[in-house]
Amino acid sequence: SLMTTPTLTTAGTAYREQQPSLATVEVTVRSDSDEPAVARSTARDRAETIRNSLTAVSTDQVDTVDIRVQEADEVFGPDTDSDYRAEERLMIECLPSTAEDVVIDVTEIGGTVQNVEFGLHMDAQRQLEDETLEAALDRARKKAERLATAEGMAVACIQSISTTQPAADMDGIVDEALDQSTNMDISPPPVEVSKRVEVVYELTKE
């Protein structure tokens, strides 16, 4: 009969955090008019003003992600007497330390800050994820070796690895919804990454 290879399953969880290297400020500018084209061009001009007057960021760090013109009565009702409302949505990337200046500038120019997110640049995020995963695997392995030794066995190789969500996972990016006050203190929360692995090891006689 075929001997089945003895296996052992252990889990490892690791948690890492890092100061964010990036802030993304989501902004809307709007304009109301009885002429859709006028509403649109005015909104565009206002967005352009924001793009060119932010001292803390260069113009290529300001992206238009959405432009829409809607009939005002359908959506906004008594909020406006005009027939049309145009809205342009901007994403502004800046350093976490300049996010506060950007928010103040935008608000003074007449834009509306919808959201500020703090995070990492893509390569830094990936590196943090990799390091966390490595630490979780290391933890699982040490447990397996300890258990195997107690049984007079040794860990031979990995049969399978599955990654599961740890119990409480902060998704790496914390949304800080900001009130429209200019005396706000934005201290960015760290980016948090947690990983949990379950590993099945094949064992051999020591």
Side-chain angles (χ1 to χ4, degrees), residues 175-189:
D175 289 348
E176 289 272 282
L178 298 170
D179 52 7
Q180 290 290 325
S181 64
T182 46
N183 60 353
M184 64 186 101
D185 169 40
I186 306 176
S187 47

Side-chain angles (χ1 to χ4, degrees), residues 133-171:
L133 187 59
E134 223 165 280
L137 285 166
D138 191 50
R139 204 159 277 176
R141 173 128 204 151
K142 285 197 167 72
K143 265 187 221 173
E145 284 167 354
R146 210 165 43 237
L147 290 165
T149 307
E151 301 288 324
M153 309 281 279
V155 172
C157 61
I158 291 176
Q159 196 180 74
S160 68
I161 298 176
S162 54
T163 312
T164 56
Q165 281 297 341
D169 186 47
M170 301 288 291
D171 212 29

Side-chain angles (χ1 to χ4, degrees), residues 12-19 127-140 164-174 189-197:
T13 303
Y15 175 89
R16 293 280 182 278
E17 61 177 43
Q18 196 171 314
Q19 280 308 306
Q127 193 181 340
L128 187 62
E129 304 254 354
D130 288 351
E131 284 171 13
T132 312
L133 187 59
E134 223 165 280
L137 285 166
D138 191 50
R139 204 159 277 176
T164 56
Q165 281 297 341
D169 186 47
M170 301 288 291
D171 212 29
I173 288 185
V174 177
V191 176
E192 299 170 333
V193 172
S194 49
K195 300 270 182 199
R196 181 176 183 275
V197 290

Side-chain angles (χ1 to χ4, degrees), residues 12-60:
T13 303
Y15 175 89
R16 293 280 182 278
E17 61 177 43
Q18 196 171 314
Q19 280 308 306
S21 58
L22 182 67
T24 307
V25 184
E26 185 185 341
V27 171
T28 50
V29 284
R30 53 175 62 119
S31 163
D32 296 345
S33 173
D34 292 335
E35 297 291 328
V38 173
R40 187 188 169 121
S41 64
T42 307
R44 180 159 269 176
D45 288 349
R46 285 177 185 165
E48 205 52 38
T49 303
I50 287 177
R51 188 174 271 112
N52 293 316
S53 51
L54 294 176
T55 45
V57 298
S58 59
T59 52
D60 60 356

Side-chain angles (χ1 to χ4, degrees), residues 69-80:
V69 181
Q70 289 171 294
E71 288 193 41
D73 56 355
E74 287 176 17
V75 195
F76 311 104
D79 189 17
T80 174

Side-chain angles (χ1 to χ4, degrees), residues 72-113:
D73 56 355
E74 287 176 17
V75 195
F76 311 104
D79 189 17
T80 174
D81 332 334
S82 305
D83 293 343
Y84 294 92
R85 168 169 289 181
E87 186 170 270
E88 184 159 342
R89 194 154 58 92
L90 305 171
M91 290 293 193
I92 302 167
E93 288 200 349
C94 62
L95 293 168
S97 57
T98 60
E100 192 169 350
D101 294 340
V102 169
V103 166
I104 291 168
D105 285 353
V106 163
T107 308
E108 282 177 353
I109 298 163
T112 304
V113 174

